[in-house]
Amino acid sequence: MKIRIHVSLKPGVLDPQGRAVHHALDGLGFAGVEDVRIGRLIELTVADGTSDADLEAMCEKLLANTVIENYRIEKVGQ
Amino acid sequence: MSFRAAVVTFPGSNCDRDMAVALASVSGEQPIRVWHGDSALPERLDFIALPGGFSYGDYLRSGAMAANSPIMREIAAAAQRGVPVLGVCNGFQVLTEAGLLPGALMRNASQHFICRTVDLTVENTDSLFTRGFEAGQRLRIPVAHHDGNYFADDATLDLLEGDGRVALRYVENCNGSRRDIAGILNASGTVLGMMPHPERAVDAAHGGTDGRPLFENAIKALAHA
């Protein structure tokens, strides 16, 4: 089973990297970009039947730092 | 008096030797070197130091992998028993990732790696690390980090400030840290995490010795305990 874990910064947490990229997009002439936030995508291949509770525990214990980050678990299929 | 200190080395630690030399120079006793994969700490430790560096290549997040290494379970248990723990730079990142200190250390606001000597003020003078200082005392200690931008939510920051757990602040904020925080303590004042490197300021040949009292205070406090 393929799983995608989307890790993103919580609202209100400053993202200097996103700000720099925003600036660079402005510099390239792309008008109308209002905000840029940079996160991380983690792809897992796990045994079929891996429980949601286990996936959540993986995120809580290691894959995301919930002080600063949110995560979303996406099941991509077989 | 004997002073049994341990310096923990993770794969990618690079200030472990400096930390051991600093502790030996101040205490007169060689610290015990501990490896990240060890499942047990030496017995009867007086002090544990988590050094700077780039443990596990900063994979995932700085300190995240080290925080889950076997020895960290033992260190968390020792900290719980009241054994003093000092985490410097990557060691501070490991302590936050392990949940022994609140908050997180994010990429510097400037995006740049910063390597220079900075001015700090001592905010807390009650902990075993800071008891010998005067409130507001200035220290000059080097920083060398990419991820030193301290973040915690307002409620956590208010709690830290209210309980006097902000140990050190930058005089000039070099990395974007909220409320200029350079170092914080746990609730019992026995775990200190700080981004500046006191072990790089213990000998006149380092260009300054302002880091030395931090170790001396801890050793003195333990001798009287």
Side-chain angles (χ1 to χ4, degrees):
Chain A
M1 185 165 59
K2 298 251 189 239
I3 305 289
R4 287 196 190 123
I5 311 282
H6 301 262
V7 181
S8 56
L9 282 176
K10 285 188 173 172
V13 174
L14 212 67
D15 179 9
Q17 202 181 168
R19 209 164 48 183
V21 170
H22 189 179
H23 203 71
L25 288 172
D26 283 346
L28 288 169
F30 292 104
V33 178
E34 284 177 12
D35 195 20
V36 179
R37 309 278 287 171
I38 295 185
R40 170 185 283 126
L41 171 66
I42 302 170
E43 296 183 319
L44 306 177
T45 306
V46 299
D48 291 349
T50 301
S51 71
D52 289 358
D54 273 353
L55 291 172
E56 262 173 49
M58 290 179 206
C59 293
E60 294 280 336
K61 285 186 180 164
L62 181 64
L63 300 178
N65 179 344
T66 55
V67 174
I68 47 171
E69 294 168 331
N70 288 325
Y71 62 86
R72 181 166 62 81
I73 299 168
E74 180 195 2
K75 295 182 181 171
V76 188
Q78 302 308 309
Chain B
M1 138 217 162
S2 81
F3 177 72
R4 274 169 68 84
V7 176
V8 183
T9 300
F10 301 100
S13 294
N14 64 10
C15 303
D16 43 340
R17 184 182 174 279
D18 287 5
M19 181 64 82
V21 168
L23 282 166
S25 134
V26 178
S27 72
E29 306 210 24
Q30 282 300 329
I32 304 161
R33 306 293 291 272
V34 175
W35 181 238
H36 72 107
D38 291 351
S39 52
L41 284 167
E43 287 178 1
R44 304 186 317 281
L45 281 180
D46 297 313
F47 193 90
I48 300 169
L50 303 183
F54 300 86
S55 57
Y56 298 85
D58 282 349
Y59 289 175
L60 194 62
R61 298 175 304 274
S62 300
M65 310 300 285
N68 289 289
S69 62
I71 199 66
M72 279 310 294
R73 280 191 290 273
E74 292 295 305
I75 290 169
Q80 189 71 38
R81 292 196 302 273
V83 178
V85 179
L86 170 67
V88 169
C89 199
N90 189 225
F92 185 11
Q93 295 160 347
V94 173
L95 289 173
T96 58
E97 280 284 345
L100 292 178
L101 290 173
L105 291 144
M106 305 184 54
R107 183 54 41 105
N108 293 340
S110 66
Q111 293 282 317
H112 293 288
F113 189 96
I114 306 167
C115 184
R116 60 184 158 89
T117 301
V118 300
D119 289 302
L120 304 166
T121 51
V122 180
E123 301 286 326
N124 168 303
T125 55
D126 289 333
S127 79
L128 67 112
F129 301 98
T130 56
R131 217 168 273 162
F133 293 114
E134 285 168 34
Q137 190 174 336
R138 292 280 185 102
L139 304 177
R140 279 182 61 74
I141 295 182
V143 293
H145 61 248
H146 211 163
D147 296 325
N149 180 352
Y150 183 74
F151 178 88
D153 59 28
D154 290 330
T156 305
L157 291 170
D158 290 344
L159 179 83
L160 288 173
E161 306 230 36
D163 290 348
R165 288 168 55 189
V166 176
L168 299 162
R169 260 190 249 268
Y170 302 107
V171 173
E172 262 178 63
N173 194 330
C174 58
N175 54 23
S177 288
R178 296 201 75 192
R179 303 196 193 173
D180 308 324
I181 287 173
I184 56 167
L185 294 155
N186 70 343
S188 57
T190 53
V191 176
L192 170 65
M194 60 188 288
M195 287 313 296
H197 287 270
E199 80 282 7
R200 296 191 192 178
V202 295
D203 188 296
H206 288 153
T209 57
D210 282 5
R212 201 173 174 90
L214 227 135
F215 297 105
E216 288 169 346
N217 292 337
I219 291 167
K220 216 180 295 172
L222 292 167
H224 295 157

